[in-house]
Structures are given as C-alpha cells and as structure tokens.
Amino acid sequence: MSDYPTREIELKWQRFWEEKGVFKTNPNPKKKYYVLEMFLYPSGDMHMGHARNYCIGDCVARLKMMQGYDVLHPFGWDAFGLPAENAAIEHNIPPWVWTFDSIELCKKNLKLLGIGYDWDREVTTCLPEYYRWNQWLFLKFYERGLVYRKEAYVNWCPRCQTVLANEQVIEGRCYRSSCAAPVEKKKLTQWFFKITDYAQELLDGIEELTGWPESVRVMQRNWIGRSEGVEVDFQMDDGTRLPVWTTRPDTLYGVTFLALAPDAPLAETVARGTPQEHAVAEFCHQVLIQPEIERTAVGREKQGIFTGRFARNPLSGEMVPIWVADFVLAGYGTGMVMGVPGHDQRDFEFARKYNIPIKVVIVPEGKTLVPEEMAGAYTEPGVMVNSGPFDGTPSEKGIQLVIEELERRNIGRRKVQYRLKDWLISRQRYWGTPIPMIHCPQCGIVPVPYEQLPVLLPPDVKDYKPKGKSVLAGVESFINTTCPKCGGPAQRDPDTMDTFVDSSWYHLRYTDPHNEQLPFTRENADKWLPIDEYIGGIEHACGHLIFFRFFTRVLHDLGMVSVKEPCRVLHTQGMVSLDGKTMSSSRRHGVWVGPFVEEHGADCARLGVLFAAPPEKPLEWSNELVTGVKRFIARVWRLFEDAGYQLPPDKFEVEKFSAEEKRLYIRLNQTHKKVITDADSFQFNTAISALMEFLNELYLFPDRKSPVFRFALVRFVKLLAPFAPHLSEELWHRFYPGKGSIFCEPMPEWDERFVHFDTIEIPVQVNGKLRGKVVVSRTSGEEEVKKAALENSAVLPYIEGKEIIRVVLIPGRVVNIVVR
C-alpha cells in the first residue's frame, strides 16, 4: 500500500472545487448562513496564527453547507494602512506595490490551504471601487449631522507621525505592535464621527448580543462607560460659568479646589493676565508631552499648578482656587473636577502635597473626623455635616436631595456622561481614503459632489515620508482644485480616513460586491444580515467591533439595512505561539503557511490548528502536534486503502446485528452525535478527538466485510470532511466515483435510538477512593445499583467488618460508600 500522496490529492480537489464552483454563493438563499472571518491586512507572509482564523471559519462554512444551508463565505483585504506605507518608505516603492504583492502571496496561501471562499465576492479596500463608497458614506453621515471638524488635543504617535483614535491607544502606546511608541497630545484640527450620538443605543444593544462572549460584552460596556451624575455651575469672579460634572453632589460643601485638565480648552486662557500665566502654560506643555497612561497611573505622585484664579461654590458661596492637575482628563465630564480631599483619596494626597485645605462633610454615624488627624480620605457612606441645610442627612439620600436643590435654583442639572468619545477619523498619512471635502476661501468647507466621487489618491507622490503633517498637503496636483459651489480656486482636505472606516461596513459590501450605483442594496443586504458567525481576535473588542456596530445602526437609520446589529454570534480565537512567543509577520516569527503546506499538507495544517486547543484559547505550535496529526491522516488513509471502497447495502436490519456489530453501530452514533454537537458549539478539538477515538474502534473491528463496518466507513468520511476536506473528498469519490463534491451532500442525522449501550459501567468509591466498577443495566433503579456496588468482589475487602454510614449514588456516574 502506498503512502498518502498529500499534495497530489490536495491540488486535485482544489482544482475540482474551483472548476465546479462548489463555493459559489446562491444569490437567492432559501436557508441562509453568513460565515465571516475578519479580513486580512496584507502586510507580508501568512503564518499559522492567520491560518487558524480562516481554517475555523472554513470548517464552519463547510459543515453548514452539508447541513443544508445556503452559505455566504466571502473574503477580502483590509488593504489601506501604515505598514504598507512604511514599507514603501523603507524600500522606496509605492505602497500599492507592497500591498498587491502581499495580497498575491496571501491569496496563494489561502488557496494552498483549500479555504472555500467565494472569490467572486472578493473586496479590496484600497481600490477606488471600494473606497469611493467610504467617501459616499462619509457624505451621508455629514448630511445627517454625524461628521464635524474641530480643533482639539488629539493622540499623536511621534513614530507613525499620525493621529490615533482613543481606541488605538493601548496602555498609553500606539496600538500597532511594530510601533508601540508612547503617545503624545497634540493640538490639531481634525474630522470626527459623532459616535456619541449612539452611545446609549450601543450600550443598550449589548443586551441583544447573547451570542457574543461575555468578556467582549463587558469590555464594550466598560468602554462606553455610562455614568449618571449632575453638572454643577461654579462661577469665576468675572462671571464665567464653569460647569463641573460629578457623581457625588453630596460632597459639594467639601470642595476646596477645582482641578482642570491641562488639555481642556479653558487651560489655555484661565491664567491669562495673572502672574501665573507663563508657569501654567509651561506646566501644561510638559504634562502633554507625557503619555496619558503614565500621568494618570495609580500610585504615581500627582502634579499640579495654581492658576491664580478662583471660582465660587454655588451652594456654600465659598471661593475656591482653580488648579491645573495632570491627573484630570479633558475627555472626562467637562474636563474639570471638584477637589474634595476629605472624601477622595487622590484629592487628599494632592491637597496634602500642595497645602490645600481639607474639609470634612461626611462622617460615620455617631463619630467625628478631624482633618488634621486624618491619614486618608473618608470614602464610605455616612452622615452629611458642615453642609448647611443638609446636615444630619444620610449621604446616600443626600445625593438626590442636593441634585433637587441644584435644579430648583437652576445652578445644576442631571446629566449622563459616557467614557466613549467621538471617533477621530483624520489621519496624516498617504495610504488611506481621501476625505471628500473642499476648503474654499469664499464658501468655507464644501462637500465634494457625489457625481465627482471617488476622490482618487494621486499616484505622483515623490515622498511618502511623514513630516508631521498630511502627506497629501504637499501634492499640488491633488490639493489644488475648484470649489464646486462658487467655481473659485480651493483646496482639497489633505487628510485620509482611519482604516477602521473601511472595516466598519465591508461585511455589507460582500452582499453586493459589484454594485456600481450604491455601496449595496437593502434587498441584498437583508438577504444575508445579520452575520451568523463572525470570527476574529478579541483585541478588536473596543475598536472595530464597536465601530461596525455603530455603522450598522447609522445605516439602519438611513434606511439602508433592516438590522440594527451586524452580527448574531461572535467567536474570538486565541493567539498562536511558537517557542513561547506570539507569531508575527512584522517580526518574522512564525510557522509560514506556504512552506508548511508544501511539506506537510493543507489538511495537516487545518487539523493542527483545529485540534491543538479550543478555538478561544491560546495555542502553542509544536513538532509533536504536527507529528500527531500526520499520523492520524496516515492511519485514516491506510485503513481505507486496506479495507477497500465497497459500498454498504442501502438498508440493513439492526435486529440482525451481531453483538460486535451492534456495539460498533452504537459507537458510530455516539461519535456522530458528539462530532456534530461539538462542532456546532465551536469545540472542534473535542470533535476531532472523537473521530480519532472512533478510528481506533474501526481498526479493532474484526470483520471488514460487515455491512455495519462498511456503513461506518462512509459515515466517518462525512464526519471528517469539514476538518480534513481534501482527504475526505478523495475517500468520498473512491466510494462514489463521478459524483459531485461531498460538501454538496447532506450531512445525515445520527440514529438517536442507538446512542447508548444497554449496560453502563459505574465506578465505585469507598470513602472517596476508587475501589471497583460495576456493570449494570441502563434502566437499573437506585437500589439495584447500590446493591451491586455493595456486593462487588473488588469492593468487599474495603467494607467488610466496617459500619456503612451511607451509600451515595450520582446516577450514571459514581457510587460512593462511606464507612467507618
């Protein structure tokens, strides 16, 4: 018997699938199933970390095809972005050269793996036929009041020389693993999507995401960060109103200073005309060049400076100093917080450092607190004191009473705040979607007319190197244009869009990829939405996975889709490591798909990533894994070659089975049920393990001419097919020469009548230690099982002559005899 001809068979069936259009999408699904893996950024070669994601999705898609679904399983390329542009700078080539070379390599690897995509629906975000619709959607958002431009302090990566959204700052550093530079604050005029208009909707919608991992739901709740409080009006001596948001209005009488964020707009002017003006400006500058994560870190000594200005407390009437403090964030509340050192530990430490008074306004019931004697802030509930008319009020009740008083006097109002901030989409790099706006000295900012889309990226760029401003600003052929409103000379906006815009609606373009009139039609989108299973990394929980929910809701409100949530079930896969380090294309660390498949085969790669660990867990790649999977494939091949490909009879009578045949038939149905149940539950590793165990049963079965054995062989091929498609297709066609693909065949049901043996084996413990096993009828009652355990010959030596305290039966699992 010859060895399994791996590559010969795999190439044969890959050609067959392509020629027969096996994975072409039915444009009019009767029973739809939309399987989608997050598309790939083509930054170089593909490693097994990439392959894991796509093999998981392909396994799901193939199984659903066999279960009778019309499957949409598309793929595309998240092709804009910094890595290609940086490669262009490094190698002195245009970024599209690097991008399309990478796409060609990655597509080759995906085809080597035999991933069953409908390539007719491929999308590539850097092509004008895609990014024109980014611009079209931008204009639709603009018309709806969801786009605006303002000057603000933004996150600036000094290494990438571009702005980052809040979601792209990870622990104070650039989100790109190949960069990870500390992020600074820089004041720029930028474009924003008004995602905060949808903050409450996005928060409420999390309750609908029952098919998402709870960890992702929690992360999104925390990122959106809804807090209920009150906005209180302090007032400067010149009459300027200073709104300050707080969740603790019961401590208002304890305010002894106000703390202002160094990047809040007021910080630039608050000290103007005072002796502190220069010192405050210098302090703000020094703070803002520090990473935000460092200046707000717990345990770090806080820094501040007095502005020389005061504001009046609206309840107590006291004048309190205004400070600028490094721990205050402009994005929190109004960018100014109340300093209540008696009841906030951070404020307490700040006050002690700068000799700011500490005032106690809440005490434990029946006790007093002396500020000079306090070792720290009192932060628990208690009774309000030194609080005017609220003295003696329980502090928790006082929160509502103070809010009512503020509202009655029109000096405060209830207000909900969100941690989520508007999405900053401007980028100062070349390789992205040009923002379709024109700056006219006469008309101001004017949208590019729809009929002039797309605004194309200029190919005649001589220098892609970032210089702290938009690359396109230096390309005269691009930047200089005509105002569509007055016809006078004008300039295009020089920024490009955040590439997360591309990935916020690509799932919709797949439903209608060749439409030249619209990004997609509602009719086509509604055929497939929501995505039934979406597969990708948990690192996208507070970025892409929020943005594409936001886009879907806006598009629903625009009447373009029926659904409000884009995805029914989300699966997050774990990282793949080699020698303890996560595989990475940029670091050239990994097991590369192309060479691996050429040496070991696609089915080996697929089974390896599916079998090694549950999909949501990290996976450590090893030679032992490869050896084990190759051994399994070889054993399957040997068994079938040795047994031959004689078909079982169309019908057989279970009642005429021998004892061995009946046992094999029961084990087949047990395996069938477990494989399908586990695969439908995304537990591919245990499904494959069950197939491996059943393969052993087949090897041990003595009669290879038995109709039950022949039936089990054919059924085994179908169960193996989603996991090892090339091997299974070959075996299937050896049984059924000339037939269509196994993936166009229905997956049969298991025989529920025969998923249990007539008898079961139950372990018997004595005082918690295993002492024997009993075999009893599956229908045996409790007393019958206990009697068998007590009479078991292996158990008797451990209980004879001892007092039996009790006998505990966990039905079908264990008997425990307690003696003394």
Side-chain angles (χ1 to χ4, degrees), residues 165 223 234 392 674 695:
W223 188 258
F234 285 72
K674 181 166 181 60
L695 181 65

Side-chain angles (χ1 to χ4, degrees), residues 85-86 88-90 92 159-161 428-430 461-472:
E85 192 168 342
N86 289 340
I89 294 167
E90 182 180 348
N92 196 29
R159 186 172 298 164
C160 296
Q161 288 283 294
Q428 289 67 48
R429 300 296 293 261
Y430 168 80
V461 176
K462 296 178 181 178
D463 184 6
Y464 300 100
K465 192 172 183 180
K467 302 175 179 66
K469 65 177 184 178
S470 298
V471 174
L472 293 176

Side-chain angles (χ1 to χ4, degrees), residues 418-721:
Y418 297 94
R419 184 175 181 268
L420 179 70
K421 301 305 171 191
D422 283 338
W423 176 10
L424 193 163
I425 66 157
S426 297
R427 297 295 179 270
Q428 289 67 48
R429 300 296 293 261
Y430 168 80
W431 195 229
T433 300
I435 290 176
M437 303 299 274
I438 291 172
H439 301 268
C440 173
Q442 301 301 321
C443 306
I445 297 176
V446 181
V448 172
Y450 286 103
E451 63 271 17
Q452 293 183 16
L453 299 181
V455 176
L456 295 171
L457 277 174
D460 54 337
V461 176
K462 296 178 181 178
D463 184 6
Y464 300 100
K465 192 172 183 180
K467 302 175 179 66
K469 65 177 184 178
S470 298
V471 174
L472 293 176
V475 183
E476 290 191 11
S477 62
F478 172 84
I479 204 73
N480 294 320
T481 188
T482 300
C483 174
K485 192 171 182 180
C486 70
Q491 291 196 325
R492 297 192 184 278
D493 195 282
D495 287 352
T496 53
M497 295 186 202
D498 180 6
T499 53
F500 275 124
V501 174
D502 307 346
S503 58
S504 292
W505 69 279
Y506 78 114
H507 59 291
L508 290 157
R509 184 63 176 174
Y510 284 137
T511 70
D512 200 1
H514 307 297
N515 194 325
E516 296 181 0
Q517 306 304 316
L518 291 167
F520 53 88
T521 64
R522 179 168 181 158
E523 179 187 5
N524 282 321
D526 286 351
K527 286 177 184 178
W528 294 105
L529 268 285
I531 301 163
D532 292 285
E533 295 198 52
Y534 193 33
I535 304 154
I538 197 170
E539 67 271 16
H540 297 292
C542 295
H544 160 65
L545 290 172
I546 283 182
F547 296 147
F548 100 133
R549 290 184 61 218
F550 164 59
F551 254 66
T552 304
R553 286 183 173 269
V554 175
L555 295 173
H556 170 271
D557 291 348
L558 288 168
M560 295 179 66
V561 294
S562 295
V563 298
K564 290 187 175 181
E565 289 292 344
C567 167
R568 187 176 62 83
V569 174
L570 171 71
H571 298 292
T572 54
Q573 93 281 358
M575 297 291 190
V576 179
S577 299
L578 178 67
D579 300 328
K581 296 179 181 178
T582 301
M583 293 188 188
S584 168
S585 295
S586 61
R587 296 190 177 96
R588 297 299 303 164
H589 176 71
V591 175
W592 308 105
V593 168
F596 183 90
V597 170
E598 292 293 351
E599 181 178 355
H600 302 290
D603 283 346
C604 180
R606 298 167 69 110
L607 284 165
V609 295
L610 294 172
F611 174 64
E616 71 277 7
K617 300 292 184 184
L619 185 162
E620 177 67 28
W621 192 264
S622 67
N623 291 331
E624 290 76 15
L625 170 64
V626 177
T627 301
V629 168
K630 290 186 73 172
R631 185 185 301 120
F632 171 64
I633 292 171
R635 292 189 73 222
V636 171
W637 179 252
R638 283 198 303 271
L639 175 67
F640 280 78
E641 287 288 277
D642 182 57
Y645 299 95
Q646 178 185 347
L647 289 170
D650 293 336
K651 295 181 180 179
F652 44 67
E653 299 177 46
V654 178
E655 297 76 17
K656 295 183 179 180
F657 286 174
S658 68
E660 287 178 328
E661 287 177 326
K662 185 174 182 181
R663 184 186 182 284
L664 182 65
Y665 187 65
I666 291 171
R667 283 291 296 118
L668 171 63
N669 283 292
Q670 288 177 338
T671 302
H672 187 161
K673 183 175 184 178
K674 181 166 181 60
V675 168
I676 300 303
T677 302
D678 285 6
D680 280 339
S681 301
F682 219 63
Q683 297 303 305
F684 308 114
N685 59 316
T686 54
I688 294 169
S689 179
L691 287 169
M692 290 176 169
E693 291 174 11
F694 188 65
L695 181 65
N696 293 333
E697 303 266 359
L698 291 171
Y699 262 98
L700 294 172
F701 193 77
D703 182 7
R704 295 194 171 180
K705 296 187 182 298
S706 161
V708 180
F709 179 79
R710 312 303 308 174
F711 178 82
L713 285 181
V714 175
R715 183 62 56 84
F716 181 89
V717 174
K718 281 201 167 183
L719 295 175
L720 180 64

